[in-house]
mmCIF file of all heavy atoms in Angstrom:
data_model
loop_
_atom_site.group_PDB
_atom_site.id
_atom_site.type_symbol
_atom_site.label_atom_id
_atom_site.label_comp_id
_atom_site.label_asym_id
_atom_site.label_seq_id
_atom_site.Cartn_x
_atom_site.Cartn_y
_atom_site.Cartn_z
ATOM 1 N N LEU A 151 16.492 31.708 -4.868
ATOM 2 C CA LEU A 151 15.945 33.094 -4.883
ATOM 3 C C LEU A 151 16.831 34.033 -4.148
ATOM 4 O O LEU A 151 17.047 35.183 -4.571
ATOM 5 C CB LEU A 151 14.536 33.098 -4.271
ATOM 6 C CG LEU A 151 13.453 32.424 -5.089
ATOM 7 C CD1 LEU A 151 12.143 32.311 -4.304
ATOM 8 C CD2 LEU A 151 13.220 33.156 -6.401
ATOM 9 N N TYR A 154 19.724 34.964 -6.384
ATOM 10 C CA TYR A 154 19.336 35.975 -7.368
ATOM 11 C C TYR A 154 19.201 37.349 -6.733
ATOM 12 O O TYR A 154 19.658 38.353 -7.299
ATOM 13 C CB TYR A 154 17.989 35.587 -8.058
ATOM 14 C CG TYR A 154 18.070 34.351 -8.919
ATOM 15 C CD1 TYR A 154 16.925 33.558 -9.101
ATOM 16 C CD2 TYR A 154 19.204 33.971 -9.584
ATOM 17 C CE1 TYR A 154 16.952 32.419 -9.902
ATOM 18 C CE2 TYR A 154 19.234 32.867 -10.407
ATOM 19 C CZ TYR A 154 18.106 32.101 -10.545
ATOM 20 O OH TYR A 154 18.111 30.992 -11.339
ATOM 21 N N ALA A 155 18.592 37.410 -5.570
ATOM 22 C CA ALA A 155 18.339 38.711 -4.927
ATOM 23 C C ALA A 155 19.622 39.367 -4.519
ATOM 24 O O ALA A 155 19.757 40.622 -4.495
ATOM 25 C CB ALA A 155 17.445 38.533 -3.714
ATOM 26 N N VAL A 164 15.175 42.660 -11.588
ATOM 27 C CA VAL A 164 15.250 41.186 -11.462
ATOM 28 C C VAL A 164 15.548 40.825 -9.993
ATOM 29 O O VAL A 164 14.942 39.927 -9.407
ATOM 30 C CB VAL A 164 16.285 40.580 -12.428
ATOM 31 C CG1 VAL A 164 16.455 39.106 -12.188
ATOM 32 C CG2 VAL A 164 15.840 40.839 -13.873
ATOM 33 N N ARG A 165 16.500 41.563 -9.416
ATOM 34 C CA ARG A 165 16.878 41.283 -7.992
ATOM 35 C C ARG A 165 15.663 41.589 -7.093
ATOM 36 O O ARG A 165 15.425 40.874 -6.147
ATOM 37 C CB ARG A 165 18.047 42.115 -7.587
ATOM 38 C CG ARG A 165 19.350 41.620 -8.221
ATOM 39 C CD ARG A 165 20.537 42.284 -7.558
ATOM 40 N NE ARG A 165 20.355 43.701 -7.295
ATOM 41 C CZ ARG A 165 21.243 44.641 -7.599
ATOM 42 N NH1 ARG A 165 22.383 44.346 -8.154
ATOM 43 N NH2 ARG A 165 20.969 45.914 -7.361
ATOM 44 N N GLN A 166 14.955 42.636 -7.404
ATOM 45 C CA GLN A 166 13.781 43.026 -6.584
ATOM 46 C C GLN A 166 12.695 41.929 -6.700
ATOM 47 O O GLN A 166 12.097 41.555 -5.706
ATOM 48 C CB GLN A 166 13.243 44.385 -7.015
ATOM 49 C CG GLN A 166 12.123 44.870 -6.128
ATOM 50 C CD GLN A 166 11.676 46.292 -6.487
ATOM 51 O OE1 GLN A 166 12.222 46.924 -7.399
ATOM 52 N NE2 GLN A 166 10.701 46.765 -5.762
ATOM 53 N N GLN A 167 12.478 41.471 -7.917
ATOM 54 C CA GLN A 167 11.474 40.400 -8.088
ATOM 55 C C GLN A 167 11.916 39.140 -7.344
ATOM 56 O O GLN A 167 11.083 38.480 -6.735
ATOM 57 C CB GLN A 167 11.305 40.122 -9.569
ATOM 58 C CG GLN A 167 10.184 39.098 -9.841
ATOM 59 C CD GLN A 167 9.967 38.885 -11.357
ATOM 60 O OE1 GLN A 167 10.606 39.474 -12.202
ATOM 61 N NE2 GLN A 167 9.019 37.986 -11.672
ATOM 62 N N ALA A 168 13.202 38.822 -7.354
ATOM 63 C CA ALA A 168 13.699 37.660 -6.636
ATOM 64 C C ALA A 168 13.476 37.834 -5.129
ATOM 65 O O ALA A 168 13.072 36.920 -4.421
ATOM 66 C CB ALA A 168 15.165 37.453 -6.940
ATOM 67 N N GLY A 169 13.719 39.078 -4.638
ATOM 68 C CA GLY A 169 13.487 39.352 -3.213
ATOM 69 C C GLY A 169 12.005 39.200 -2.815
ATOM 70 O O GLY A 169 11.662 38.675 -1.758
ATOM 71 N N ASN A 170 11.119 39.687 -3.711
ATOM 72 C CA ASN A 170 9.684 39.574 -3.468
ATOM 73 C C ASN A 170 9.283 38.092 -3.409
ATOM 74 O O ASN A 170 8.514 37.691 -2.551
ATOM 75 C CB ASN A 170 8.899 40.281 -4.520
ATOM 76 C CG ASN A 170 9.033 41.844 -4.432
ATOM 77 O OD1 ASN A 170 9.469 42.356 -3.395
ATOM 78 N ND2 ASN A 170 8.761 42.497 -5.499
ATOM 79 N N LEU A 171 9.789 37.319 -4.365
ATOM 80 C CA LEU A 171 9.488 35.908 -4.348
ATOM 81 C C LEU A 171 10.050 35.190 -3.129
ATOM 82 O O LEU A 171 9.443 34.267 -2.576
ATOM 83 C CB LEU A 171 9.993 35.256 -5.665
ATOM 84 C CG LEU A 171 9.178 35.482 -6.906
ATOM 85 C CD1 LEU A 171 9.872 34.921 -8.143
ATOM 86 C CD2 LEU A 171 7.767 34.872 -6.746
ATOM 87 N N LEU A 172 11.245 35.627 -2.708
ATOM 88 C CA LEU A 172 11.869 35.050 -1.545
ATOM 89 C C LEU A 172 10.996 35.299 -0.315
ATOM 90 O O LEU A 172 10.781 34.399 0.532
ATOM 91 C CB LEU A 172 13.260 35.619 -1.321
ATOM 92 C CG LEU A 172 14.038 35.067 -0.100
ATOM 93 C CD1 LEU A 172 14.210 33.575 -0.188
ATOM 94 C CD2 LEU A 172 15.395 35.777 -0.008
ATOM 95 N N ARG A 173 10.457 36.511 -0.149
ATOM 96 C CA ARG A 173 9.596 36.800 0.974
ATOM 97 C C ARG A 173 8.322 35.973 0.911
ATOM 98 O O ARG A 173 7.848 35.441 1.911
ATOM 99 C CB ARG A 173 9.245 38.294 1.040
ATOM 100 C CG ARG A 173 10.373 39.145 1.598
ATOM 101 C CD ARG A 173 9.962 40.579 1.798
ATOM 102 N NE ARG A 173 9.854 41.378 0.570
ATOM 103 C CZ ARG A 173 10.908 41.827 -0.160
ATOM 104 N NH1 ARG A 173 12.123 41.594 0.267
ATOM 105 N NH2 ARG A 173 10.711 42.492 -1.227
ATOM 106 N N ALA A 174 7.768 35.828 -0.271
ATOM 107 C CA ALA A 174 6.550 34.996 -0.450
ATOM 108 C C ALA A 174 6.847 33.549 -0.085
ATOM 109 O O ALA A 174 6.027 32.902 0.570
ATOM 110 C CB ALA A 174 6.041 35.151 -1.881
#
Side-chain angles (χ1 to χ4, degrees):
L151 290 171
Y154 292 151
V164 173
R165 289 192 318 227
Q166 185 175 359
Q167 185 177 359
N170 292 341
L171 283 173
L172 180 60
R173 282 188 287 285

